[in-house]
Amino acid sequence: MNDALKTDPLAGVTGDRPVVARFCPSPTGNPHVGMARTALFSWAFARHHGGKFVFRVEDTDQSRDSEESYNLLVDVMRWLGLDWDEGVEVGGDNGPYRQSQRMDIYADVAQRLLDGGFAYKAYDTAEELEERREKARAEGRPSGYDGLHRDLTDEQRAAYEAEGRQPVIRFRMPDRDYTFDDLVRGPITFGADNVQDFVIVRANGQPLYTLTNPTDDALMGITHVLRGEDILSSTPRQIALYEAFAQIGVGSGVTPRFGHLPYVTGAGNRKLSKRDPESNLLGYRDDGFLPEGLLNYLALLGWSLPAVDGEEKDVFDLAEMVEAFEIGRVNPNPARFDLVKCEAINGDHIRRLSVEQVTERLLPYFQKAGLIADPATDDEAAVLAAAAPLVHERISKLTEAVDMLRFLFVAEDEFTVDETDAAKQLDEKGLTTARAAHDALAGLETWDTESIEAALRAALIDGLGLKPRLAFGPVRVAVTGSRISPPLFESLELLGRERTLARLSAALSS
Ligand code: GLU
């Protein structure tokens, strides 16, 4: 093995076959950020090499998997726009793509491994294993399986079975080192002592990840396995299984290349856990991230576009990523998840949209907030289209537009003014300003941005001698309910004369 391989991710596996990469999450809990990063990198790798992308679901653990979680995974992949050529929901030649529907396949492979002598039945009880493990630890020996039941005679097996013991199936790990050329990390060696015979089928007949994952990779023709670093220790076992598969005719006989993606860390440089709130992928959708913004940020967790003329480019779209996605450029060091940067990048993507596009993206958020009906009335759609340009440049998440524009859509009897802002802006002086604004606006002939601006400037700046900041603050708070709003004169135009005056009057009489 040498470093040169790292620069050619296709060496050793594909020949004239296309690249086939995969994403194969387990449906437990909410889809999380680390998962999406893995999906994105595998997808970009497949697309970069003009290959296929397979999406299968590893749902063999009935106690932890749920249908709800499965649906969320499909939902999130569709929302992100990471399309797959084969897999759940779309089908393909190597299905089914849910492991729960492939149990007969795993039983068959396990039996062939047993028949070929690559695996064996082990009858040790949990207590026996624990006792031997303790002893090994105390003596400073490796504490994995000691191979005691590796070579039982038929009589010994029969005797255990007569006792009513149910065996697990263990894979017989060849007694040698395993070296592979990781696509991200370069050559990695696992010493023979570090990888013991491992369980592939539980005593109750349930096949484990250790068997199902490489079986599917082999049968689905996967050429490249990209996954999180947490699974690195499984790789020598999987390579050994592949070598056995080649002898018993499971799959094509070619071992895939492996690449282990760096950990994602959160606050305090801790590994981001599934349970951290910033891990929850659907939270980003609810919060108003664009899928393209989130994907752009996720791409930066361990990867970056090559600099051009020394210039780093942080904001890019998926097509640019696909074009440039060299797996050898992935940095093996932990990648820090920085929500502030993620939001900033999302804001850049919002600004890349046209006003029409941003209006379209905003609509569901206004509907979810109950501010616009579903389907929207013509009036609502027109107000949103007119209001979108006011916030387009100012938001980094779509939900911020909902907060900023709520005043336009809320029913009059539900309109409220932020109390802290009111206390600051609508004191005695502020109320005087609001009264002057009311009177100036009441007499306006034409209700448009220019006339509103001219009338307010004349009344408040020339008339009351106020500085602009002091002049418009009270009007803004009284009419939009908050100190933070889109540009004032445009906002008033959109709100209309009647509602503007009613809100100024309400402020004066409260
Ligand atoms: N189902 C495994 C997981 O979600 C897949 C690991 C792999 O990619 O091999 O962690």
Side-chain angles (χ1 to χ4, degrees):
M1 293 285 159
N2 59 52
D3 250 347
L5 268 186
K6 199 185 157 200
T7 60
D8 180 6
L10 303 190
V13 277
T14 48
D16 51 8
R17 294 186 307 153
V19 161
V20 187
R22 69 358 174 222
F23 173 53
C24 53
S26 302
T28 57
N30 283 330
H32 57 91
V33 159
M35 240 178 203
R37 198 272 313 256
T38 300
L40 171 64
F41 281 31
S42 294
W43 177 90
F45 181 83
R47 297 292 175 244
H48 177 75
H49 290 286
K52 270 205 284 190
F53 183 56
V54 177
F55 175 18
R56 81 168 176 259
V57 169
E58 305 208 320
D59 56 348
T60 49
D61 186 347
Q62 283 160 3
S63 60
R64 297 175 62 223
D65 300 333
S66 75
E67 201 57 22
E68 190 194 348
S69 188
Y70 166 81
N71 289 326
L72 291 177
L73 279 170
V74 173
D75 206 25
V76 110
M77 288 292 281
R78 289 201 169 132
W79 177 65
L80 289 172
L82 299 177
D83 58 334
W84 56 100
D85 309 292
E86 249 186 57
V88 292
E89 306 292 320
V90 307
D93 291 343
N94 302 299
Y97 294 91
R98 292 184 69 167
Q99 291 193 330
S100 55
Q101 295 164 2
R102 298 172 62 81
M103 289 301 166
D104 48 342
I105 297 175
Y106 309 128
D108 175 57
V109 172
Q111 189 56 50
R112 283 155 72 182
L113 288 169
L114 282 173
D115 294 345
F118 297 101
Y120 60 90
K121 292 183 176 171
Y123 295 83
D124 321 76
T125 64
E127 296 73 36
E128 287 167 353
L129 288 174
E130 189 46 36
E131 203 175 295
R132 280 162 26 219
R133 227 176 269 137
E134 280 295 311
K135 192 153 177 275
R137 266 189 223 117
E139 292 169 8
R141 288 183 286 118
S143 60
Y145 187 63
D146 54 9
L148 199 68
H149 286 198
R150 250 189 168 199
D151 298 301
L152 295 180
T153 61
D154 289 347
E155 290 73 37
Q156 285 170 312
R157 265 196 292 274
Y160 282 129
E161 275 173 23
E163 276 179 39
R165 294 196 189 197
Q166 296 291 333
V168 299
I169 300 178
R170 281 187 188 271
F171 183 76
R172 189 187 300 275
M173 203 56 205
D175 193 19
R176 65 169 175 83
D177 292 354
Y178 279 85
T179 296
F180 65 98
D181 189 36
D182 192 280
L183 295 163
V184 175
R185 281 148 218 278
I188 299 181
T189 297
F190 285 84
D193 279 355
N194 291 321
V195 195
Q196 275 80 26
D197 296 354
F198 55 94
V199 178
I200 55 176
V201 179
R202 286 215 173 97
N204 64 6
Q206 192 189 11
L208 294 177
Y209 164 78
T210 47
L211 176 67
T212 60
N213 177 278
T215 296
D216 286 352
D217 283 345
L219 293 177
M220 294 175 187
I222 303 300
T223 59
H224 291 80
V225 169
L226 297 183
R227 58 186 174 194
E229 187 184 340
D230 48 325
I231 303 174
L232 184 57
S233 62
S234 297
T235 302
R237 299 169 176 181
Q238 297 189 354
I239 293 173
L241 261 169
Y242 264 95
E243 290 170 1
F245 287 166
Q247 296 188 55
I248 58 172
V250 174
S252 67
V254 181
T255 303
R257 298 287 307 273
F258 294 88
H260 293 87
L261 306 174
Y263 284 122
V264 179
T265 60
N269 281 342
R270 268 184 318 105
K271 185 177 163 222
L272 199 62
S273 120
K274 270 187 170 188
R275 283 164 290 277
D276 288 326
E278 66 266 45
S279 273
N280 179 5
L281 212 58
L282 290 161
Y284 291 89
R285 180 170 67 181
D286 294 347
D287 252 10
F289 280 79
L290 304 180
E292 57 268 48
L294 185 59
L295 285 174
N296 182 162
Y297 184 67
L298 293 178
L300 296 173
L301 295 174
W303 184 81
S304 56
L305 272 186
V308 175
D309 298 332
E311 285 280 315
E312 303 265 345
K313 185 174 168 197
D314 272 355
V315 182
F316 46 82
D317 60 28
L318 273 185
E320 288 170 277
M321 178 181 184
V322 166
E323 163 101 42
F325 193 74
E326 299 287 347
I327 187 70
R329 275 183 62 78
V330 173
N331 183 336
N333 298 320
R336 201 170 77 81
F337 188 87
D338 175 353
L339 191 54
V340 174
K341 176 145 190 199
C342 183
E343 289 184 4
I345 286 188
N346 196 57
D348 286 326
H349 279 273
I350 289 179
R351 283 181 285 284
R352 284 181 159 205
L353 299 176
S354 67
V355 175
E356 291 72 33
Q357 287 168 326
V358 93
T359 307
E360 207 173 286
R361 305 279 191 116
L362 286 172
L363 180 62
Y365 290 88
F366 281 80
Q367 291 174 321
K368 193 160 171 232
L371 294 170
I372 291 186
D374 186 7
T377 65
D378 290 349
D379 258 9
E380 288 168 336
V383 176
L384 185 62
L390 305 187
V391 294
H392 193 183
E393 301 289 319
R394 293 181 164 73
I395 53 173
S396 52
K397 296 182 284 185
L398 297 171
T399 45
E400 289 168 359
V402 176
D403 294 336
M404 284 184 178
L405 297 175
R406 179 179 302 274
F407 73 95
L408 283 175
F409 294 93
V410 73
E412 247 6 73
D413 55 354
E414 280 171 29
F415 174 75
T416 52
V417 174
D418 182 272
E419 280 179 25
T420 323
D421 290 346
K424 281 207 193 108
Q425 294 285 337
L426 294 172
D427 55 3
E428 208 174 311
K429 220 165 146 201
L431 288 175
T432 308
T433 314
R435 182 167 300 113
H438 178 277
D439 295 348
L441 294 175
L444 256 193
E445 248 164 57
T446 319
W447 189 260
D448 63 18
T449 300
E450 295 73 44
S451 316
I452 293 167
E453 175 167 5
L456 288 180
R457 285 189 187 280
L460 310 181
I461 296 177
D462 305 340
L464 296 181
L466 296 171
K467 294 219 160 45
R469 202 171 51 81
L470 288 178
F472 302 129
V475 183
R476 187 188 300 280
V477 169
V479 174
T480 71
S482 158
R483 234 162 16 93
I484 301 158
S485 81
L488 183 63
F489 314 122
E490 285 86 344
S491 296
L492 300 194
E493 180 186 338
L494 285 179
L495 186 63
R497 184 197 310 259
E498 203 181 313
R499 285 199 287 167
T500 301
L501 295 180
R503 289 183 192 182
L504 285 167
S505 302
L508 292 170
S509 60
S510 63

PDB file of all heavy atoms in Angstrom, residues 182-193:
ATOM      1  N   ASP A 182      -7.278   3.890   3.141  1.00  0.00           N
ATOM      2  CA  ASP A 182      -8.480   4.691   3.352  1.00  0.00           C
ATOM      3  C   ASP A 182      -8.489   5.893   2.406  1.00  0.00           C
ATOM      4  O   ASP A 182      -7.466   6.564   2.232  1.00  0.00           O
ATOM      5  CB  ASP A 182      -8.520   5.162   4.810  1.00  0.00           C
ATOM      6  CG  ASP A 182      -9.854   5.739   5.184  1.00  0.00           C
ATOM      7  OD1 ASP A 182     -10.116   6.921   4.858  1.00  0.00           O
ATOM      8  OD2 ASP A 182     -10.658   5.026   5.804  1.00  0.00           O
ATOM      9  N   LEU A 183      -9.652   6.146   1.820  1.00  0.00           N
ATOM     10  CA  LEU A 183      -9.741   7.222   0.822  1.00  0.00           C
ATOM     11  C   LEU A 183      -9.506   8.597   1.445  1.00  0.00           C
ATOM     12  O   LEU A 183      -9.169   9.550   0.751  1.00  0.00           O
ATOM     13  CB  LEU A 183     -11.125   7.203   0.169  1.00  0.00           C
ATOM     14  CG  LEU A 183     -11.431   5.955  -0.668  1.00  0.00           C
ATOM     15  CD1 LEU A 183     -12.918   5.827  -0.922  1.00  0.00           C
ATOM     16  CD2 LEU A 183     -10.661   6.038  -1.982  1.00  0.00           C
ATOM     17  N   VAL A 184      -9.726   8.684   2.756  1.00  0.00           N
ATOM     18  CA  VAL A 184      -9.560   9.973   3.436  1.00  0.00           C
ATOM     19  C   VAL A 184      -8.262   9.992   4.247  1.00  0.00           C
ATOM     20  O   VAL A 184      -7.594  11.009   4.322  1.00  0.00           O
ATOM     21  CB  VAL A 184     -10.766  10.238   4.368  1.00  0.00           C
ATOM     22  CG1 VAL A 184     -10.563  11.501   5.190  1.00  0.00           C
ATOM     23  CG2 VAL A 184     -12.054  10.303   3.560  1.00  0.00           C
ATOM     24  N   ARG A 185      -7.921   8.869   4.825  1.00  0.00           N
ATOM     25  CA  ARG A 185      -6.814   8.839   5.788  1.00  0.00           C
ATOM     26  C   ARG A 185      -5.537   8.204   5.282  1.00  0.00           C
ATOM     27  O   ARG A 185      -4.538   8.160   5.994  1.00  0.00           O
ATOM     28  CB  ARG A 185      -7.251   8.034   7.017  1.00  0.00           C
ATOM     29  CG  ARG A 185      -8.113   8.800   7.923  1.00  0.00           C
ATOM     30  CD  ARG A 185      -9.133   7.946   8.650  1.00  0.00           C
ATOM     31  NE  ARG A 185     -10.335   8.752   8.702  1.00  0.00           N
ATOM     32  CZ  ARG A 185     -10.532   9.684   9.606  1.00  0.00           C
ATOM     33  NH1 ARG A 185      -9.690   9.857  10.579  1.00  0.00           N
ATOM     34  NH2 ARG A 185     -11.603  10.433   9.561  1.00  0.00           N
ATOM     35  N   GLY A 186      -5.587   7.589   4.096  1.00  0.00           N
ATOM     36  CA  GLY A 186      -4.398   6.872   3.639  1.00  0.00           C
ATOM     37  C   GLY A 186      -4.333   5.493   4.293  1.00  0.00           C
ATOM     38  O   GLY A 186      -5.302   5.046   4.903  1.00  0.00           O
ATOM     39  N   PRO A 187      -3.171   4.839   4.213  1.00  0.00           N
ATOM     40  CA  PRO A 187      -3.079   3.454   4.677  1.00  0.00           C
ATOM     41  C   PRO A 187      -3.329   3.323   6.187  1.00  0.00           C
ATOM     42  O   PRO A 187      -2.826   4.124   6.985  1.00  0.00           O
ATOM     43  CB  PRO A 187      -1.635   3.066   4.348  1.00  0.00           C
ATOM     44  CG  PRO A 187      -1.198   4.038   3.308  1.00  0.00           C
ATOM     45  CD  PRO A 187      -1.943   5.305   3.574  1.00  0.00           C
ATOM     46  N   ILE A 188      -4.116   2.320   6.540  1.00  0.00           N
ATOM     47  CA  ILE A 188      -4.411   2.046   7.953  1.00  0.00           C
ATOM     48  C   ILE A 188      -4.221   0.549   8.162  1.00  0.00           C
ATOM     49  O   ILE A 188      -4.667  -0.259   7.344  1.00  0.00           O
ATOM     50  CB  ILE A 188      -5.869   2.402   8.304  1.00  0.00           C
ATOM     51  CG1 ILE A 188      -6.109   3.898   8.069  1.00  0.00           C
ATOM     52  CG2 ILE A 188      -6.204   2.022   9.749  1.00  0.00           C
ATOM     53  CD1 ILE A 188      -7.511   4.345   8.406  1.00  0.00           C
ATOM     54  N   THR A 189      -3.558   0.203   9.271  1.00  0.00           N
ATOM     55  CA  THR A 189      -3.348  -1.219   9.565  1.00  0.00           C
ATOM     56  C   THR A 189      -3.996  -1.583  10.892  1.00  0.00           C
ATOM     57  O   THR A 189      -3.881  -0.846  11.867  1.00  0.00           O
ATOM     58  CB  THR A 189      -1.835  -1.526   9.636  1.00  0.00           C
ATOM     59  OG1 THR A 189      -1.270  -1.264   8.350  1.00  0.00           O
ATOM     60  CG2 THR A 189      -1.583  -2.988   9.998  1.00  0.00           C
ATOM     61  N   PHE A 190      -4.707  -2.697  10.902  1.00  0.00           N
ATOM     62  CA  PHE A 190      -5.223  -3.275  12.144  1.00  0.00           C
ATOM     63  C   PHE A 190      -4.434  -4.558  12.397  1.00  0.00           C
ATOM     64  O   PHE A 190      -4.410  -5.452  11.536  1.00  0.00           O
ATOM     65  CB  PHE A 190      -6.707  -3.621  12.013  1.00  0.00           C
ATOM     66  CG  PHE A 190      -7.595  -2.414  12.067  1.00  0.00           C
ATOM     67  CD1 PHE A 190      -7.830  -1.657  10.921  1.00  0.00           C
ATOM     68  CD2 PHE A 190      -8.188  -2.029  13.259  1.00  0.00           C
ATOM     69  CE1 PHE A 190      -8.646  -0.535  10.971  1.00  0.00           C
ATOM     70  CE2 PHE A 190      -9.005  -0.908  13.312  1.00  0.00           C
ATOM     71  CZ  PHE A 190      -9.229  -0.158  12.174  1.00  0.00           C
ATOM     72  N   GLY A 191      -3.803  -4.627  13.547  1.00  0.00           N
ATOM     73  CA  GLY A 191      -2.999  -5.802  13.879  1.00  0.00           C
ATOM     74  C   GLY A 191      -3.891  -7.016  14.145  1.00  0.00           C
ATOM     75  O   GLY A 191      -5.037  -6.880  14.569  1.00  0.00           O
ATOM     76  N   ALA A 192      -3.366  -8.204  13.880  1.00  0.00           N
ATOM     77  CA  ALA A 192      -4.135  -9.445  14.034  1.00  0.00           C
ATOM     78  C   ALA A 192      -4.749  -9.558  15.430  1.00  0.00           C
ATOM     79  O   ALA A 192      -5.882 -10.012  15.586  1.00  0.00           O
ATOM     80  CB  ALA A 192      -3.239 -10.635  13.750  1.00  0.00           C
ATOM     81  N   ASP A 193      -4.021  -9.108  16.449  1.00  0.00           N
ATOM     82  CA  ASP A 193      -4.506  -9.245  17.825  1.00  0.00           C
ATOM     83  C   ASP A 193      -5.703  -8.376  18.128  1.00  0.00           C
ATOM     84  O   ASP A 193      -6.383  -8.565  19.127  1.00  0.00           O
ATOM     85  CB  ASP A 193      -3.391  -8.803  18.797  1.00  0.00           C
ATOM     86  CG  ASP A 193      -2.409  -9.924  18.997  1.00  0.00           C
ATOM     87  OD1 ASP A 193      -2.679 -11.016  18.464  1.00  0.00           O
ATOM     88  OD2 ASP A 193      -1.393  -9.687  19.681  1.00  0.00           O
TER      89      ASP A 193
END
